[in-house]
Amino acid sequence: MTIAAFAVVVASTGVVLSFRDQLKEPDPVATPVDTPPSIDALIARAEAIGGAAVTDVTLPSAPTEPYQLWIDDDDETVLFLDGRGELLGRRASKGGFTQLLFALHTGAIAGFVGVLLSALTGLSILALVVSGLVMARVRARPRPR
């Protein structure tokens, strides 16, 4: 019964996490530029704005998407810059809804015991799938008469 409760938590948080992009606030829109900036220039600009080192950069996949640069600060801030290096917005990501869902999904919210239970839940589900496939295969074999 305990594994079933964890399976419900893992499955439901996994489903919600699949739609996290639709649940979050939309990213700001950037004005397209003819010549993309150098990543070094964007990082220098972001570090000047954020006051800390940049830990990660996401490049835009469309002309109107901003560059996303994560700052190594206590709030896990994401800066949104356009192709000219202008700040379009900032967002603190620490303690957000997605992080809570990840902590529930992985069991990390309950520490090592929670992670262990989450792993056991996944292994239990895997065992059910494998045993079900084996049973289906055995039943599909013709029986000698």
Side-chain angles (χ1 to χ4, degrees):
M1 189 60 124
T2 303
I3 294 295
F6 276 94
V8 167
V9 171
V10 169
S12 59
T13 54
V15 167
V16 175
L17 284 169
S18 297
F19 297 100
R20 68 180 172 266
D21 287 342
Q22 289 79 12
L23 296 172
K24 72 176 186 175
E25 178 184 335
D27 295 339
V29 177
T31 304
V33 294
D34 294 330
T35 307
S38 75
I39 299 301
D40 291 336
L42 283 174
I43 290 173
R45 176 76 172 126
E47 288 175 345
I49 293 170
V54 170
T55 60
D56 196 12
V57 177
T58 300
L59 303 176
S61 58
T64 57
E65 289 183 3
Y67 292 85
Q68 297 179 34
L69 297 100
W70 277 259
I71 301 297
D72 188 17
D73 63 1
D74 291 338
D75 290 332
E76 298 175 14
T77 303
V78 181
L79 299 178
F80 299 93
L81 302 179
D82 66 9
R84 295 182 309 266
E86 297 298 318
L87 179 66
L88 300 172
R90 67 173 55 217
R91 188 177 301 148
S93 62
K94 184 174 183 179
F97 183 61
T98 300
Q99 288 188 338
L100 173 63
L101 287 176
F102 271 116
L104 284 169
H105 186 70
T106 62
I109 199 162
F112 176 75
V113 172
V115 172
L116 183 62
L117 286 172
S118 183
L120 289 173
T121 300
L123 291 172
S124 299
I125 293 169
L126 182 61
L128 286 172
V129 169
V130 169
S131 66
L133 291 172
V134 168
M135 288 171 55
R137 184 178 174 126
V138 168
R139 287 186 182 186
R141 283 188 205 153
R143 296 181 186 200
R145 293 186 184 213

